Amino acid sequence: MKPLLTICFALISISLAAQNFITISGKITNANSAQPLPFCSVFIKGKSVGTITNVEGAFKLNIPESLREDTLAVTYVGFKNFYQPVSDLPEAITIELEEAIVNLEEVAVETKRISADEIFERVLEKVHQEVGYPTSDFKLSGFYREIHSSESQQTGVLECAINIFDDRLTRDFKEIDITNFRKIYNRQQNTDQFIKAKEGHNHLLLLLNGGINLIPIGSQYKRSIWKLSLEIEKVTYFNDRLVYVLSNKSYGRELRLLVDTENYSVYKNELIMQVDETDHENYAWRTVNPQGEKCGAMLDHQGYEYREMNGKLFPYYFFRRFDYRCYDLKTDTISAKSAFSTELLINQVEESVVATSVDKLRRKKGLINRNEPYDSAFWQYFNDIQEVDFEKKLIDEKLEYVATTNSTLPTKQVKEYDRTLRIGNHTTREFTRADTLYGTLTPELACYDVNYYDLTLDIDPGEEWVKGSSATHFTVVEATNRIRIDLLEYLKINSIQFGGTGLAFERDLDAVYISLPDTLKTGTDAKILVSYEGHPLDADFDIWASGFLWQEDSEGQPFAQSLCQGYGAKAWWPVKNHLSDEPDSASVHVTVPEELVAVSNGNLAETETSDGKSTYHWKVQHPINNYNLAVHIGNYENVRSEYVNQSRDTLTLDYYFLPQDQELAEKKLPMVPKMLAVYEKYFGPYPFGNDGFKIVQSPYPMEHQSCVAVGQYFDEQLILHETAHEWWGNSVSITDNADVWIHEAFATYAESLYIEEVLGYKLGQEHLNARKSEILNDHPIVGAEGVNHFHYRIEDKYFKGALMLNTLRHAVNDDPLWFSVLKDIQTNFRHSFIDTKTLLNYFNTKLGTDYSSFFNQYLRTTKIPVLEVKKSAEGFENRWSDTSSEFTMPIKINEAVISPSNQWQKTDVTFTDEIIGQLKGRYLIKVNTIAF
């Protein structure tokens, strides 16, 4: 096999070389100062072939021989363009750019005639009307790089060649094809928690869509930073065009926008947020973690450049760089430093191109976790961005290893499946028949009640294959001769048996309709056995629409888990796929290769080993919802401990971790008993005592009942969040994903209660308030019922929901009452169901006040209440705005309590900056001051 691989690489290299490229490399400098010019555009004039200089001003450009007679162009803001025929260029060159002299007096009359605000309004008008932007199908081909570092140690570099397909720039990109991929990653050196937290995100998508959002297109303008007041900083040259430089500068923040003076096209926008590393109060995206550290970005620098092609503006070069710090509030020292950067270069634009086969990349799937074959020959003539020394060292070391082992990197091959994921566009509430089919309790589902699931699974992680059976024990609640189960349409059903007899069935997408031999009467107990096999729905599609996440650990061993919240357990096993039916108990038999361990819910009853495989038998003694019945596979070690609760009952604690991460586990897991004690104080006893409690290291965090998956790094916040779901989500559960905010808001709120208990009220509030920047306010928190409304941006269900609960706490202004109601919910709905209407009625009754208008405002609208305050000769007045006429919420200010309405009313309160700060800290509101 190895000689064949070598021959293939050689043939690819010969093929590429046959294209006859001209390679030009060099450096761009300032002709006056001789300083290098980073991020210069270097391209063939009128063509999409190009690159960008690196931070040292260096570049390397591969030019097809067919463009020999074309012209090389170099452009940089504030400098004269450089042009020279390709045929006249040496292989190595230093290009000195002359500064462009702008005679401001010649344009002064124009700058007097138009203000920065007027310029920006013309920009907005052009963008909103999509004038000069593509509005038909196109493909962008480019190069993406992502760099991770911790404590000045480079821990990862990934690069990929990509194709981006879309039909306009006024919406988020989703259709992306990764044509080639290379990754160098040292996970063991990656010790900084901030970088680890960011690994779960798809930064390519964030960078792409950030470039769209910073130009305030369409609805994005309502939350755009460009709503800040701008001024004309200067007029200068860019790409032979005269441009306005619009800017806004204040402490810690600098905005800049380059706008064509004639046609008002946006060529570039830039945002820099930077403070001193000890100024933790002004970190960007800051939060307080359970260790009492305030973590955030002391630097967030992002820029987005666009180039005109065929009379339209297309993305050309995007970058974003973070410098993170964690500041220990107990010792007043910097406890951790890390950095992260991404950049995207578009080097080819094609119009009238429609996507054919693409990856459905989503925000929650980090590229650093991808495993794909590496083809070194591909990159020989591919125009990327030249590495600087530390990047090149990492890449060279890894490529040297590849050369000596004569293997691909990594060894695992990504499998291609010809499958279409049938999910509607839930961001606009465009639901499909499949959405309704999966979200509605149809008669064939409603006619029976599941008592017990018995799963038998044989899982091959190398082939990403599951084969097994699901025995569903049920009681008939309405006489029927036809029932339904659900299973991903791409999984093969081998047989369905009832009492030893094979049954006929029909499939409609994921729905499987089973014809029973006789009509089963109400009250009948029965069982069906479904045997099946195939590739489960892969999380590469979407974390929220998946069945399994397949990875390898840092030692190259399989590391996998089931992951099916949102789409449902049908993504990987046959099940009654509706949240309203939880079995009273379950059993899971999992067979995996002998060197691996399979961890599931409940208690491990026995383990059997034979023929190179091990079978683990897990038993669940409590009710469990189907998306929480789970399997985790890895080279696990197990450590057992105990927790004694307030009633002196003993709970078994099991920790499952990879042996190479034992030191990390030992550092992070001692918090678990304290966490359980805090949650017991606020929410009552742990709900699943007979099943024990497990923390499982996993590729991705998830609240799998009694075996909480906490991700790869035992992040304390994830441990807090996923464990809180044992109360909020697993014990008290919803019956429709429209109400999933109940699970996520309370679990997020629980994090802050732990921090408040351990570090004090102030830091607990800071932890919550740091999440305000993550609120999108683009959809109501409560979703649409009966259509499995889950697959869309759900951040507000977490952060806005949690901050709403915190606001209600302060509106109630009675902590003993507030916390007693939280515990009462857990007591009265333990191992049961709840929905939004029931929960809100319960709050109103137990709190003794009708908060209906409050809940309607926060849950069913996207408007944050605005407290308007104005000062007059007589004192202060206030009122609510951006609310319904019925909205009411008392506000505590020091010892006084005011109850604003929608009408101006006088108050004895003096609104100082300190008071306004307190209000913003305790309540999820905005405060507008008038005539201060």
Side-chain angles (χ1 to χ4, degrees):
M1 194 60 163
K2 289 182 179 179
L4 177 61
L5 186 65
T6 304
I7 292 171
C8 288
F9 278 170
L11 290 175
I12 294 171
S13 299
I14 293 171
S15 174
L16 288 171
Q19 297 180 41
N20 295 325
F21 285 87
I22 302 167
T23 300
I24 305 295
S25 61
K27 194 168 186 177
I28 314 297
T29 64
N30 183 326
N32 295 330
S33 66
Q35 293 297 309
L37 296 177
F39 316 124
C40 286
S41 296
V42 182
F43 58 97
I44 301 302
K45 187 177 180 181
K47 303 292 192 302
S48 55
V49 175
T51 188
I52 293 287
T53 59
N54 63 18
V55 294
E56 298 168 347
F59 73 93
K60 177 183 176 183
L61 181 62
N62 293 302
I63 306 169
E65 178 68 34
S66 59
L67 300 181
R68 174 178 288 276
E69 301 307 317
D70 283 71
T71 300
L72 181 77
V74 179
T75 67
Y76 195 68
V77 179
F79 285 77
K80 294 179 181 179
N81 286 6
F82 169 88
Y83 298 109
Q84 190 163 333
V86 172
S87 56
D88 293 344
L89 291 169
E91 291 184 0
I93 186 173
T94 297
I95 299 172
E96 298 178 343
L97 295 188
E98 299 282 348
E99 293 185 35
I101 305 301
V102 179
N103 187 340
L104 291 179
E105 303 205 341
E106 291 182 7
V107 298
V109 62
E110 171 68 10
T111 58
K112 288 177 182 176
R113 208 168 48 209
I114 189 168
S115 68
D117 288 340
E118 290 171 318
I119 295 170
F120 192 64
E121 285 302 317
R122 295 187 189 185
V123 168
L124 278 180
E125 182 180 0
K126 181 170 183 175
V127 173
H128 283 202
Q129 295 178 359
E130 300 184 66
V131 176
Y133 295 90
T135 55
S136 59
D137 294 320
F138 62 83
K139 180 179 80 170
L140 308 175
S141 299
F143 166 78
Y144 173 76
R145 174 182 289 149
E146 184 174 307
I147 301 173
H148 300 237
S149 66
S150 179
E151 299 290 351
S152 300
Q153 171 66 51
Q154 300 302 317
T155 58
V157 176
L158 71 82
E159 298 172 328
C160 55
I162 62 172
N163 293 319
I164 303 163
F165 300 88
D166 224 315
D167 60 4
R168 58 190 63 237
L169 292 178
T170 55
R171 67 184 187 190
D172 287 355
F173 289 106
K174 293 185 178 66
E175 309 298 320
I176 298 176
D177 177 31
I178 296 180
T179 59
N180 215 286
F181 184 90
R182 59 182 180 183
K183 177 179 72 174
I184 300 90
Y185 187 45
N186 189 330
R187 180 171 170 270
Q188 296 290 46
Q189 291 179 351
N190 194 2
T191 58
D192 184 79
Q193 61 168 310
F194 230 93
I195 290 298
K196 289 180 295 191
K198 294 298 176 184
E199 285 178 358
H201 289 74
N202 189 318
H203 296 285
L204 169 57
L205 274 186
L206 292 177
L207 184 65
L208 264 175
N209 297 329
I212 299 303
N213 295 342
L214 278 178
I215 291 185
I217 295 176
S219 62
Q220 300 293 350
Y221 178 50
K222 67 185 180 184
R223 57 187 175 90
S224 170
I225 58 171
W226 294 104
K227 292 177 72 173
L228 295 169
S229 176
L230 296 167
E231 63 179 25
I232 300 176
E233 178 183 320
K234 61 181 177 181
V235 179
T236 187
Y237 282 99
F238 177 63
N239 200 14
D240 287 343
R241 301 287 296 183
L242 203 60
V243 294
Y244 295 112
V245 179
L246 308 184
S247 65
N248 175 289
K249 299 178 182 179
S250 60
Y251 173 72
R253 183 187 62 229
E254 188 172 334
L255 296 169
R256 190 167 285 107
L257 188 69
L258 267 60
V259 179
D260 192 295
T261 59
E262 293 183 7
N263 61 29
Y264 301 100
S265 295
V266 175
Y267 291 134
K268 186 175 183 179
N269 55 58
E270 190 172 18
L271 167 65
I272 304 172
M273 292 186 286
Q274 184 171 19
V275 297
D276 184 79
E277 70 175 3
T278 60
D279 185 9
H280 57 80
E281 292 293 339
N282 288 298
Y283 286 169
W285 326 120
R286 62 188 178 277
T287 187
V288 175
N289 67 27
Q291 288 70 52
E293 297 171 327
K294 190 170 287 188
C295 299
M298 62 166 284
L299 170 67
D300 178 0
H301 185 188
Q302 46 192 300
Y304 305 88
E305 185 176 324
Y306 305 84
R307 197 202 299 177
E308 188 173 304
M309 292 291 299
N310 302 326
K312 305 181 188 72
L313 281 178
F314 287 93
Y316 175 57
Y317 177 65
F318 292 175
F319 72 86
R320 191 167 188 180
R321 294 175 179 82
F322 292 99
D323 278 339
Y324 291 115
R325 298 293 183 267
C326 281
Y327 189 90
D328 192 320
L329 299 171
K330 300 184 294 294
T331 62
D332 284 331
T333 58
I334 300 295
S335 55
K337 300 180 180 181
S338 56
F340 178 77
S341 67
T342 59
E343 53 190 340
L344 172 68
L345 168 69
I346 300 300
N347 49 36
Q348 187 171 355
V349 176
E350 297 178 65
E351 296 189 76
S352 302
V353 177
V354 182
T356 52
S357 176
V358 297
D359 287 336
K360 302 288 184 179
L361 296 182
R362 295 294 185 266
R363 179 176 180 178
K364 294 294 183 182
K365 188 66 169 64
L367 290 177
I368 199 72
N369 296 316
R370 288 179 75 100
N371 288 315
E372 292 197 16
Y374 170 67
D375 175 7
S376 59
F378 172 88
W379 294 92
Q380 185 175 357
Y381 295 103
F382 183 83
N383 282 320
D384 50 24
I385 304 170
Q386 191 167 338
E387 308 99 341
V388 293
D389 287 343
F390 59 80
E391 298 164 21
K392 193 173 190 310
K393 181 174 184 295
L394 271 176
I395 293 171
D396 286 348
E397 287 175 353
K398 184 60 76 170
L399 295 187
E400 182 179 351
Y401 167 78
V402 172
T404 57
T405 58
N406 195 25
S407 64
T408 58
L409 174 68
T411 56
K412 181 180 175 183
Q413 304 290 311
V414 170
K415 296 173 176 58
E416 298 282 340
Y417 309 131
D418 184 17
R419 305 192 295 201
T420 301
L421 192 58
R422 304 177 191 274
I423 295 177
N425 184 0
H426 293 185
T427 60
T428 56
R429 298 198 173 208
E430 296 175 12
F431 300 109
T432 65
R433 188 176 69 85
D435 297 323
T436 303
L437 186 64
Y438 305 153
T440 302
L441 193 62
T442 64
E444 294 85 357
L445 292 171
C447 65
Y448 70 100
D449 176 44
V450 177
N451 304 314
Y452 174 66
Y453 284 119
D454 188 0
L455 293 182
T456 300
L457 307 167
D458 190 338
I459 300 178
D460 185 339
E463 293 300 320
E464 300 179 3
W465 189 267
V466 174
K467 182 176 183 178
S469 65
S470 167
T472 303
H473 298 249
F474 62 93
T475 299
V476 178
V477 296
E478 186 174 340
T480 186
N481 63 357
R482 178 178 163 92
I483 65 171
R484 169 184 155 188
I485 62 166
D486 296 286
L487 182 67
L488 177 70
E489 60 182 307
Y490 304 108
L491 291 173
K492 178 186 176 184
I493 295 178
N494 295 322
S495 68
I496 299 180
Q497 293 188 335
F498 177 81
T501 302
L503 299 182
F505 60 90
E506 298 174 356
R507 305 195 73 168
D508 180 9
L509 305 180
D510 292 353
V512 181
Y513 295 95
I514 304 169
S515 298
L516 300 171
D518 298 297
T519 298
L520 299 182
K521 296 180 180 179
T522 301
T524 302
D525 291 329
K527 179 185 80 170
I528 59 168
L529 179 67
V530 182
S531 298
Y532 75 106
E533 63 183 304
H535 295 289
L537 186 58
D538 195 305
D540 269 338
F541 281 96
D542 185 348
I543 285 297
W544 304 125
S546 61
F548 250 86
L549 181 57
W550 308 98
Q551 290 189 8
E552 293 177 350
D553 66 20
S554 58
E555 301 297 319
Q557 293 293 319
F559 191 35
Q561 72 179 103
S562 60
L563 193 70
C564 58
Q565 185 183 20
Y567 200 77
K570 64 187 172 74
W572 67 282
W573 61 280
V575 63
K576 179 180 176 180
N577 200 77
H578 199 275
L579 295 174
S580 64
D581 196 350
E582 296 183 354
D584 301 322
S585 58
S587 180
V588 182
H589 301 75
V590 191
T591 300
V592 294
E594 183 178 10
E595 64 274 13
L596 301 175
V597 176
V599 183
S600 188
N601 314 79
N603 295 299
L604 181 61
E606 61 179 334
T607 305
E608 300 174 355
T609 300
S610 64
D611 298 328
K613 293 186 175 183
S614 294
T615 299
Y616 296 83
H617 180 194
W618 295 87
K619 288 188 174 182
V620 181
Q621 301 178 56
H622 289 283
I624 184 169
N625 60 45
N626 63 62
Y627 73 81
N628 269 321
L629 206 59
V631 174
H632 311 82
I633 299 170
N635 181 30
Y636 288 120
E637 290 190 3
N638 171 226
V639 171
R640 174 162 288 191
S641 183
E642 291 182 343
Y643 166 70
V644 179
N645 69 11
Q646 295 173 4
S647 301
R648 309 309 298 169
D649 296 324
T650 299
L651 175 68
T652 301
L653 306 180
D654 280 288
Y655 305 126
Y656 285 87
F657 52 84
L658 303 177
Q660 61 267 33
D661 292 326
Q662 180 172 352
E663 183 179 348
L664 180 63
E666 290 174 346
K667 177 182 178 182
K668 299 298 186 71
L669 293 175
M671 69 174 288
V672 171
K674 177 64 177 178
M675 170 188 63
L676 292 173
V678 171
Y679 287 169
E680 182 178 2
K681 172 182 175 179
Y682 288 106
F683 310 136
Y686 173 69
F688 308 105
N690 291 338
D691 286 334
F693 178 75
K694 295 182 288 297
I695 294 286
V696 185
Q697 188 177 13
S698 61
Y700 197 83
M702 186 62 196
E703 64 264 23
H704 296 143
Q705 185 173 306
S706 75
C707 61
V708 176
V710 295
Q712 300 187 36
Y713 303 102
F714 297 98
D715 180 82
E716 292 90 344
Q717 184 173 325
L718 290 176
I719 293 174
L720 289 173
H721 183 89
E722 306 306 340
T723 300
H725 278 304
E726 296 283 58
W727 285 263
W728 303 100
N730 299 350
S731 179
V732 177
S733 305
I734 60 171
T735 60
D736 191 303
N737 271 322
D739 300 317
V740 75
W741 75 269
I742 298 174
H743 291 192
E744 301 303 347
F746 279 96
T748 305
Y749 181 61
E751 300 170 24
S752 70
L753 294 183
Y754 173 87
I755 293 175
E756 178 175 331
E757 188 73 17
V758 175
L759 301 174
Y761 169 83
K762 182 176 182 294
L763 291 184
Q765 292 297 297
E766 284 198 41
H767 173 79
L768 265 180
N769 284 314
R771 318 309 282 271
K772 287 181 177 177
S773 63
E774 300 181 64
I775 294 176
L776 300 176
N777 275 326
D778 52 359
H779 300 285
I781 291 178
V782 177
E785 297 179 354
V787 288
N788 198 28
H789 193 186
F790 196 92
H791 303 281
Y792 64 110
R793 289 190 295 255
I794 65 172
E795 287 89 339
D796 285 4
K797 299 178 187 296
Y798 293 73
F799 310 126
K800 184 179 178 182
L803 283 155
M804 179 198 73
L805 294 174
N806 190 55
T807 299
L808 183 58
R809 170 191 179 178
H810 290 91
V812 170
N813 194 26
D814 184 342
D815 274 0
L817 174 61
W818 168 250
F819 290 119
S820 71
V821 172
L822 296 189
K823 188 174 286 189
D824 284 348
I825 294 171
Q826 285 295 323
T827 300
N828 291 313
F829 295 93
R830 179 182 172 90
H831 296 169
S832 185
F833 298 108
I834 202 166
D835 57 28
T836 297
K837 181 180 179 181
T838 303
L839 176 63
L840 303 191
N841 287 339
Y842 195 86
F843 268 130
N844 289 339
T845 300
K846 291 292 184 176
L847 294 174
T849 302
D850 186 354
Y851 286 99
S852 298
S853 66
F854 170 92
F855 289 122
N856 185 67
Q857 178 78 27
Y858 283 102
L859 294 176
R860 301 187 186 279
T861 80
T862 58
K863 295 180 179 179
I864 300 298
V866 178
L867 181 64
E868 293 187 327
V869 180
K870 68 179 179 180
K871 187 177 181 181
S872 63
E874 292 78 24
F876 289 88
E877 297 180 51
N878 59 64
R879 72 173 181 183
W880 289 119
S881 66
D882 254 7
T883 63
S884 66
S885 59
E886 297 82 16
F887 179 78
T888 179
M889 180 174 66
I891 297 289
K892 182 181 179 182
I893 301 176
N894 294 331
E895 299 305 315
V897 177
I898 63 173
S899 297
S901 68
N902 288 113
Q903 303 299 316
W904 287 108
Q905 58 187 37
K906 294 181 180 179
T907 178
D908 294 332
V909 173
T910 300
F911 284 87
T912 63
D913 288 343
E914 181 181 358
I915 292 297
I916 292 172
Q918 289 177 7
L919 294 178
K920 290 180 178 179
R922 293 172 183 163
Y923 305 91
L924 180 56
I925 62 174
K926 300 176 182 178
V927 181
N928 284 349
T929 56
I930 302 171
F932 268 50

